[in-house]
Amino acid sequence: MALFPSHDKTEILLGRKPNEKQYRFIGGFVDPKDENDFAAGRREVFEETGATVEPYELVASMQVDDWRYKKEDDRKIMTRLYKAKFIHGPIAPNDDIAEVKWFKVMEILSKDIVEEHSELMNLLQLNLDKNELKLKK
């Protein structure tokens, strides 16, 4: 999930796994019990951060390398990136996330993001229009 604090899209919440120096989007797998992608996203964000969110727009759907399959010849999984708005809740790392941190969206560099999420970040930055990036007054 590309998790924004409000209607202002200048900041995004990213997570870092233990033993990693770079950050990643919050998320995970769709479970068979999940009603749809939005429900899966809400569940995963809650599990990893304690936050309640509302997904609202698909940014990208693409194949990415996945660390869980590093011993496989084909490490690709299909992933989807949605924009989501923070609704409420205490934000703290949980599950397989060691740290969560707010970043200025347009200041994130490829060195800040795990390699498998760098193309997703590029697509998100291109997707955000100038109106979404306006600072609150």
Side-chain angles (χ1 to χ4, degrees), residues 29 62-67 69-70 72-79 115-116:
F29 285 108
M62 61 186 290
Q63 290 187 347
V64 297
D65 283 337
D66 189 275
W67 61 272
Y69 301 107
K70 62 185 172 191
E72 304 288 327
D73 289 336
D74 183 9
R75 298 176 49 191
K76 301 275 188 205
I77 62 164
M78 181 59 73
T79 193
E115 184 178 348
E116 59 268 26

PDB file of all heavy atoms in Angstrom, residues 29 62-67 69-70 72-79 115-116:
ATOM      1  N   PHE A  29       0.523 -10.777   1.201  1.00  0.00           N
ATOM      2  CA  PHE A  29      -0.257 -11.640   0.331  1.00  0.00           C
ATOM      3  C   PHE A  29      -1.759 -11.495   0.548  1.00  0.00           C
ATOM      4  O   PHE A  29      -2.208 -11.180   1.650  1.00  0.00           O
ATOM      5  CB  PHE A  29       0.110 -13.115   0.578  1.00  0.00           C
ATOM      6  CG  PHE A  29       1.428 -13.501  -0.007  1.00  0.00           C
ATOM      7  CD1 PHE A  29       2.528 -13.728   0.811  1.00  0.00           C
ATOM      8  CD2 PHE A  29       1.585 -13.648  -1.366  1.00  0.00           C
ATOM      9  CE1 PHE A  29       3.739 -14.098   0.288  1.00  0.00           C
ATOM     10  CE2 PHE A  29       2.799 -14.014  -1.910  1.00  0.00           C
ATOM     11  CZ  PHE A  29       3.879 -14.244  -1.081  1.00  0.00           C
ATOM     12  N   MET A  62       2.164  -5.451 -11.392  1.00  0.00           N
ATOM     13  CA  MET A  62       3.342  -5.913 -12.119  1.00  0.00           C
ATOM     14  C   MET A  62       4.019  -7.059 -11.373  1.00  0.00           C
ATOM     15  O   MET A  62       3.705  -7.326 -10.218  1.00  0.00           O
ATOM     16  CB  MET A  62       4.335  -4.758 -12.301  1.00  0.00           C
ATOM     17  CG  MET A  62       4.838  -4.175 -10.989  1.00  0.00           C
ATOM     18  SD  MET A  62       5.887  -2.706 -11.190  1.00  0.00           S
ATOM     19  CE  MET A  62       7.344  -3.419 -11.888  1.00  0.00           C
ATOM     20  N   GLN A  63       4.946  -7.719 -12.054  1.00  0.00           N
ATOM     21  CA  GLN A  63       5.731  -8.765 -11.421  1.00  0.00           C
ATOM     22  C   GLN A  63       6.958  -8.149 -10.763  1.00  0.00           C
ATOM     23  O   GLN A  63       7.576  -7.236 -11.318  1.00  0.00           O
ATOM     24  CB  GLN A  63       6.166  -9.809 -12.440  1.00  0.00           C
ATOM     25  CG  GLN A  63       5.026 -10.654 -12.947  1.00  0.00           C
ATOM     26  CD  GLN A  63       5.515 -11.792 -13.820  1.00  0.00           C
ATOM     27  OE1 GLN A  63       6.670 -11.829 -14.250  1.00  0.00           O
ATOM     28  NE2 GLN A  63       4.639 -12.735 -14.090  1.00  0.00           N
ATOM     29  N   VAL A  64       7.271  -8.640  -9.562  1.00  0.00           N
ATOM     30  CA  VAL A  64       8.473  -8.205  -8.851  1.00  0.00           C
ATOM     31  C   VAL A  64       9.165  -9.427  -8.276  1.00  0.00           C
ATOM     32  O   VAL A  64       8.537 -10.461  -8.045  1.00  0.00           O
ATOM     33  CB  VAL A  64       8.148  -7.205  -7.703  1.00  0.00           C
ATOM     34  CG1 VAL A  64       7.539  -5.930  -8.228  1.00  0.00           C
ATOM     35  CG2 VAL A  64       7.270  -7.843  -6.649  1.00  0.00           C
ATOM     36  N   ASP A  65      10.473  -9.307  -8.045  1.00  0.00           N
ATOM     37  CA  ASP A  65      11.198 -10.366  -7.337  1.00  0.00           C
ATOM     38  C   ASP A  65      10.731 -10.371  -5.889  1.00  0.00           C
ATOM     39  O   ASP A  65      10.478  -9.318  -5.309  1.00  0.00           O
ATOM     40  CB  ASP A  65      12.706 -10.111  -7.377  1.00  0.00           C
ATOM     41  CG  ASP A  65      13.329 -10.471  -8.717  1.00  0.00           C
ATOM     42  OD1 ASP A  65      12.736 -11.288  -9.448  1.00  0.00           O
ATOM     43  OD2 ASP A  65      14.395  -9.927  -9.029  1.00  0.00           O
ATOM     44  N   ASP A  66      10.629 -11.537  -5.309  1.00  0.00           N
ATOM     45  CA  ASP A  66      10.180 -11.646  -3.928  1.00  0.00           C
ATOM     46  C   ASP A  66      11.235 -12.365  -3.109  1.00  0.00           C
ATOM     47  O   ASP A  66      11.689 -13.447  -3.485  1.00  0.00           O
ATOM     48  CB  ASP A  66       8.843 -12.391  -3.859  1.00  0.00           C
ATOM     49  CG  ASP A  66       8.243 -12.327  -2.475  1.00  0.00           C
ATOM     50  OD1 ASP A  66       8.618 -13.169  -1.633  1.00  0.00           O
ATOM     51  OD2 ASP A  66       7.420 -11.434  -2.227  1.00  0.00           O
ATOM     52  N   TRP A  67      11.605 -11.768  -1.969  1.00  0.00           N
ATOM     53  CA  TRP A  67      12.660 -12.318  -1.117  1.00  0.00           C
ATOM     54  C   TRP A  67      12.318 -13.699  -0.581  1.00  0.00           C
ATOM     55  O   TRP A  67      13.206 -14.489  -0.275  1.00  0.00           O
ATOM     56  CB  TRP A  67      12.955 -11.355   0.034  1.00  0.00           C
ATOM     57  CG  TRP A  67      11.775 -11.107   0.928  1.00  0.00           C
ATOM     58  CD1 TRP A  67      10.807 -10.156   0.771  1.00  0.00           C
ATOM     59  CD2 TRP A  67      11.419 -11.831   2.096  1.00  0.00           C
ATOM     60  NE1 TRP A  67       9.874 -10.244   1.773  1.00  0.00           N
ATOM     61  CE2 TRP A  67      10.224 -11.257   2.612  1.00  0.00           C
ATOM     62  CE3 TRP A  67      11.980 -12.908   2.784  1.00  0.00           C
ATOM     63  CZ2 TRP A  67       9.601 -11.737   3.758  1.00  0.00           C
ATOM     64  CZ3 TRP A  67      11.348 -13.374   3.928  1.00  0.00           C
ATOM     65  CH2 TRP A  67      10.180 -12.787   4.403  1.00  0.00           C
ATOM     66  N   TYR A  69      11.237 -16.149  -2.137  1.00  0.00           N
ATOM     67  CA  TYR A  69      11.534 -17.180  -3.135  1.00  0.00           C
ATOM     68  C   TYR A  69      12.968 -17.056  -3.651  1.00  0.00           C
ATOM     69  O   TYR A  69      13.263 -17.424  -4.778  1.00  0.00           O
ATOM     70  CB  TYR A  69      10.541 -17.086  -4.299  1.00  0.00           C
ATOM     71  CG  TYR A  69       9.113 -17.261  -3.844  1.00  0.00           C
ATOM     72  CD1 TYR A  69       8.239 -16.180  -3.785  1.00  0.00           C
ATOM     73  CD2 TYR A  69       8.636 -18.499  -3.445  1.00  0.00           C
ATOM     74  CE1 TYR A  69       6.929 -16.336  -3.349  1.00  0.00           C
ATOM     75  CE2 TYR A  69       7.337 -18.668  -3.006  1.00  0.00           C
ATOM     76  CZ  TYR A  69       6.497 -17.580  -2.964  1.00  0.00           C
ATOM     77  OH  TYR A  69       5.207 -17.741  -2.528  1.00  0.00           O
ATOM     78  N   LYS A  70      13.876 -16.564  -2.810  1.00  0.00           N
ATOM     79  CA  LYS A  70      15.240 -16.308  -3.261  1.00  0.00           C
ATOM     80  C   LYS A  70      15.988 -17.561  -3.715  1.00  0.00           C
ATOM     81  O   LYS A  70      16.946 -17.472  -4.468  1.00  0.00           O
ATOM     82  CB  LYS A  70      16.037 -15.559  -2.195  1.00  0.00           C
ATOM     83  CG  LYS A  70      16.218 -16.303  -0.897  1.00  0.00           C
ATOM     84  CD  LYS A  70      16.917 -15.421   0.113  1.00  0.00           C
ATOM     85  CE  LYS A  70      16.926 -16.099   1.475  1.00  0.00           C
ATOM     86  NZ  LYS A  70      17.353 -15.197   2.513  1.00  0.00           N
ATOM     87  N   GLU A  72      14.543 -19.962  -5.466  1.00  0.00           N
ATOM     88  CA  GLU A  72      13.864 -20.434  -6.677  1.00  0.00           C
ATOM     89  C   GLU A  72      14.512 -19.821  -7.916  1.00  0.00           C
ATOM     90  O   GLU A  72      15.070 -18.722  -7.860  1.00  0.00           O
ATOM     91  CB  GLU A  72      12.387 -20.025  -6.647  1.00  0.00           C
ATOM     92  CG  GLU A  72      11.625 -20.480  -5.424  1.00  0.00           C
ATOM     93  CD  GLU A  72      11.354 -21.969  -5.425  1.00  0.00           C
ATOM     94  OE1 GLU A  72      11.156 -22.546  -6.512  1.00  0.00           O
ATOM     95  OE2 GLU A  72      11.341 -22.559  -4.332  1.00  0.00           O
ATOM     96  N   ASP A  73      14.419 -20.514  -9.056  1.00  0.00           N
ATOM     97  CA  ASP A  73      14.918 -19.958 -10.311  1.00  0.00           C
ATOM     98  C   ASP A  73      14.106 -18.734 -10.722  1.00  0.00           C
ATOM     99  O   ASP A  73      14.641 -17.741 -11.186  1.00  0.00           O
ATOM    100  CB  ASP A  73      14.862 -21.012 -11.430  1.00  0.00           C
ATOM    101  CG  ASP A  73      15.898 -22.102 -11.230  1.00  0.00           C
ATOM    102  OD1 ASP A  73      16.915 -21.852 -10.547  1.00  0.00           O
ATOM    103  OD2 ASP A  73      15.678 -23.208 -11.753  1.00  0.00           O
ATOM    104  N   ASP A  74      12.792 -18.828 -10.560  1.00  0.00           N
ATOM    105  CA  ASP A  74      11.910 -17.716 -10.892  1.00  0.00           C
ATOM    106  C   ASP A  74      11.387 -17.124  -9.596  1.00  0.00           C
ATOM    107  O   ASP A  74      10.549 -17.709  -8.924  1.00  0.00           O
ATOM    108  CB  ASP A  74      10.747 -18.205 -11.769  1.00  0.00           C
ATOM    109  CG  ASP A  74       9.843 -17.071 -12.208  1.00  0.00           C
ATOM    110  OD1 ASP A  74      10.190 -15.890 -11.995  1.00  0.00           O
ATOM    111  OD2 ASP A  74       8.775 -17.363 -12.770  1.00  0.00           O
ATOM    112  N   ARG A  75      11.892 -15.950  -9.233  1.00  0.00           N
ATOM    113  CA  ARG A  75      11.533 -15.316  -7.961  1.00  0.00           C
ATOM    114  C   ARG A  75      10.369 -14.346  -8.109  1.00  0.00           C
ATOM    115  O   ARG A  75      10.037 -13.630  -7.180  1.00  0.00           O
ATOM    116  CB  ARG A  75      12.735 -14.537  -7.428  1.00  0.00           C
ATOM    117  CG  ARG A  75      13.929 -15.394  -7.128  1.00  0.00           C
ATOM    118  CD  ARG A  75      15.100 -14.563  -6.699  1.00  0.00           C
ATOM    119  NE  ARG A  75      14.716 -13.608  -5.666  1.00  0.00           N
ATOM    120  CZ  ARG A  75      15.481 -12.623  -5.257  1.00  0.00           C
ATOM    121  NH1 ARG A  75      16.662 -12.435  -5.786  1.00  0.00           N
ATOM    122  NH2 ARG A  75      15.083 -11.804  -4.307  1.00  0.00           N
ATOM    123  N   LYS A  76       9.755 -14.294  -9.267  1.00  0.00           N
ATOM    124  CA  LYS A  76       8.727 -13.291  -9.534  1.00  0.00           C
ATOM    125  C   LYS A  76       7.382 -13.663  -8.920  1.00  0.00           C
ATOM    126  O   LYS A  76       6.984 -14.820  -8.926  1.00  0.00           O
ATOM    127  CB  LYS A  76       8.523 -13.115 -11.042  1.00  0.00           C
ATOM    128  CG  LYS A  76       9.759 -12.694 -11.804  1.00  0.00           C
ATOM    129  CD  LYS A  76       9.923 -11.225 -11.771  1.00  0.00           C
ATOM    130  CE  LYS A  76      11.064 -10.813 -12.704  1.00  0.00           C
ATOM    131  NZ  LYS A  76      11.646  -9.575 -12.337  1.00  0.00           N
ATOM    132  N   ILE A  77       6.729 -12.637  -8.377  1.00  0.00           N
ATOM    133  CA  ILE A  77       5.338 -12.762  -7.955  1.00  0.00           C
ATOM    134  C   ILE A  77       4.582 -11.574  -8.566  1.00  0.00           C
ATOM    135  O   ILE A  77       5.187 -10.554  -8.895  1.00  0.00           O
ATOM    136  CB  ILE A  77       5.158 -12.747  -6.414  1.00  0.00           C
ATOM    137  CG1 ILE A  77       5.644 -11.428  -5.825  1.00  0.00           C
ATOM    138  CG2 ILE A  77       5.838 -13.945  -5.782  1.00  0.00           C
ATOM    139  CD1 ILE A  77       5.174 -11.177  -4.411  1.00  0.00           C
ATOM    140  N   MET A  78       3.287 -11.720  -8.717  1.00  0.00           N
ATOM    141  CA  MET A  78       2.471 -10.609  -9.183  1.00  0.00           C
ATOM    142  C   MET A  78       2.097  -9.767  -7.977  1.00  0.00           C
ATOM    143  O   MET A  78       1.685 -10.296  -6.943  1.00  0.00           O
ATOM    144  CB  MET A  78       1.197 -11.128  -9.869  1.00  0.00           C
ATOM    145  CG  MET A  78       0.306 -10.029 -10.412  1.00  0.00           C
ATOM    146  SD  MET A  78       1.107  -8.975 -11.632  1.00  0.00           S
ATOM    147  CE  MET A  78       1.167 -10.057 -13.041  1.00  0.00           C
ATOM    148  N   THR A  79       2.274  -8.463  -8.088  1.00  0.00           N
ATOM    149  CA  THR A  79       1.919  -7.563  -6.997  1.00  0.00           C
ATOM    150  C   THR A  79       1.082  -6.409  -7.531  1.00  0.00           C
ATOM    151  O   THR A  79       1.116  -6.111  -8.721  1.00  0.00           O
ATOM    152  CB  THR A  79       3.179  -7.031  -6.270  1.00  0.00           C
ATOM    153  OG1 THR A  79       2.791  -6.419  -5.045  1.00  0.00           O
ATOM    154  CG2 THR A  79       3.942  -6.034  -7.113  1.00  0.00           C
ATOM    155  N   GLU A 115      15.223  -2.990  -3.672  1.00  0.00           N
ATOM    156  CA  GLU A 115      15.255  -3.081  -5.141  1.00  0.00           C
ATOM    157  C   GLU A 115      13.929  -3.548  -5.738  1.00  0.00           C
ATOM    158  O   GLU A 115      13.468  -3.018  -6.740  1.00  0.00           O
ATOM    159  CB  GLU A 115      16.382  -4.025  -5.570  1.00  0.00           C
ATOM    160  CG  GLU A 115      16.553  -4.115  -7.066  1.00  0.00           C
ATOM    161  CD  GLU A 115      17.696  -5.022  -7.464  1.00  0.00           C
ATOM    162  OE1 GLU A 115      18.508  -5.412  -6.603  1.00  0.00           O
ATOM    163  OE2 GLU A 115      17.768  -5.354  -8.661  1.00  0.00           O
ATOM    164  N   GLU A 116      13.292  -4.537  -5.083  1.00  0.00           N
ATOM    165  CA  GLU A 116      12.054  -5.078  -5.662  1.00  0.00           C
ATOM    166  C   GLU A 116      10.893  -4.087  -5.628  1.00  0.00           C
ATOM    167  O   GLU A 116       9.894  -4.276  -6.315  1.00  0.00           O
ATOM    168  CB  GLU A 116      11.658  -6.401  -4.992  1.00  0.00           C
ATOM    169  CG  GLU A 116      11.421  -6.328  -3.502  1.00  0.00           C
ATOM    170  CD  GLU A 116      12.644  -6.641  -2.658  1.00  0.00           C
ATOM    171  OE1 GLU A 116      13.774  -6.448  -3.122  1.00  0.00           O
ATOM    172  OE2 GLU A 116      12.457  -7.083  -1.516  1.00  0.00           O
TER     173      GLU A 116
END
